[in-house]
Amino acid sequence: MIVLGIETSCDETAASVVVDGTEVRSSVVSSQIDLHAKYGGVVPEIASRAHVERLTPVVTEALARAGVERADAVAATYGPGLVGCLLVGLSGAKGLAMTWDAPFVGVNHLEGHLFAPLLEEQDLGWPLVVLLVSGGHTLLVEMRGPGRYRLLGQTIDDAAGEAFDKVARYLGLGYPGGPVVDRIARDGDPTSFAFPRAMRDDGYDFSFSGLKTAVVRAVERRPDAATADVAAAFQAAVVDVLVTKAARAVAEIGARGLCLGGGVAANSLLRHRAQEAVDVPTYLPSLAMCTDNAAMVAAAGTFRLGHDGPSPLALAADPNLFLEFRT
Ligand code: KG4
Ligand code: ZN
């Protein structure tokens, strides 16, 4: 079955053709980072307008690269995300499904991220612990098989990537902050500041807003501290909390693997520490599969179509959609 996936929940306009839920024939991603960089974050109105302009060319390119003129089904993210952005992809997907007389299926963006590693790794051992860390989400999930998962914990305030972006902005490092903090932290001393590890040894939920405040206070106290030292100490605190909880989840569940996902999974210290912290295999998807893309939406859509059937064309965008417990 040939499924066209569409993803427009935030600042990436993406379309992809996936065959039988596993074979990625094409994956086109048009990033809007340059449009939002000067504002220091994603501006919802600019993002929705850019999706409107880019969706048709991106879908056309995904179909052309896959060498097909239509798909057997159309899958699109319907939440969580920015409501104006979600509406663009959702409306486009419904229109195509009607034109092609093909089924339409709405996909939870978070479930999409959980399908991403399955597209690159065929030999996963179950259960898996998945640490999903991006600009919008920070989730720790027990995955028992494709489409079967239990949420262990999530952030109670800022997402991990949001903390990177806010701290980078405060340090004058630009947007998005994660890659530049990662780069300059290599020349810094992670022990130069003792930043808090909020809730590290306590359950599976996360909190990062206090850390951001601690960085601001520390820089106010030591204004001549090297930016590289601040970045290194901040990054060490975030990674310490993420890896400690993920490793504890692996041990408590008896997981057969640890998988990272989301844009923060590109972080070099996180990738390194995660591998050190557990003695089960770690799955580190390629950057293209960690960040927002439509191949993961097509894969999750294929699975949902097979399990639950098509979604109604009246399906509404849900900006606050959460990850359901599914066994
Ligand atoms: O998954 P993603 O592309 O978009 C969503 O938020 O859905 O993730 C983007 C986030 C940004 O907050 C960015 O600063 C962060 O991922 N990021 C990183 C790195 N590369 C991207 N954070 C830490 N280290 C990195 N190397
Ligand atoms: Zn995402």
Side-chain angles (χ1 to χ4, degrees), residues 36-259:
H36 303 287
K38 66 176 173 215
Y39 302 103
V42 176
V43 183
E45 181 59 25
I46 294 176
S48 332
R49 280 167 193 255
H51 286 308
V52 171
E53 282 166 18
R54 297 176 185 196
L55 185 62
T56 302
V58 164
V59 167
T60 306
E61 194 179 335
L63 292 169
R65 281 199 208 168
V68 296
E69 281 173 6
R70 51 160 289 155
D72 301 320
V74 187
T77 303
Y78 74 105
L82 298 166
V83 70
C85 296
L86 291 165
L87 275 173
V88 178
L90 201 52
S91 312
K94 290 174 183 175
L96 280 172
M98 281 195 276
T99 309
W100 293 336
D101 197 18
F104 155 77
V105 61
V107 170
N108 181 324
H109 179 82
L110 302 172
E111 183 170 43
H113 274 295
L114 296 178
F115 271 84
L118 313 189
L119 286 168
E120 288 189 337
E121 196 71 51
Q122 313 296 332
D123 277 331
L124 295 165
W126 308 103
L128 275 181
V129 166
V130 186
L131 175 66
L132 184 56
V133 271
S134 73
H137 351 277
T138 302
L139 266 64
L140 200 56
V141 179
E142 174 188 352
M143 212 171 161
R144 298 170 179 173
R148 297 178 56 210
Y149 35 71
R150 179 169 71 99
L151 181 65
L152 299 170
Q154 59 189 325
T155 183
I156 59 166
D157 42 54
D158 292 352
E162 194 179 351
F164 272 95
D165 294 336
K166 286 181 174 170
V167 165
R169 187 178 185 177
Y170 174 70
L171 296 174
L173 299 173
Y175 173 84
V180 48
V181 168
D182 191 352
R183 195 171 62 246
I184 70 165
R186 285 175 204 155
D187 300 321
D189 174 5
T191 64
S192 54
F193 293 89
F195 287 134
R197 269 73 167 154
M199 299 167 69
R200 183 185 62 182
D201 304 312
D202 178 21
Y204 289 125
D205 283 338
F206 302 88
S207 167
F208 292 111
S209 72
L211 176 56
K212 177 195 62 199
T213 312
V215 170
V216 173
R217 297 281 166 274
V219 173
E220 281 169 359
R221 271 197 311 274
R222 285 168 51 187
D224 48 0
T227 304
D229 287 344
V230 182
F234 158 76
Q235 177 175 267
V238 175
V239 169
D240 185 14
V241 174
L242 294 175
V243 169
T244 303
K245 285 182 189 269
R248 177 151 39 86
V250 166
E252 279 180 12
I253 285 162
R256 309 254 316 269
L258 171 64
C259 183

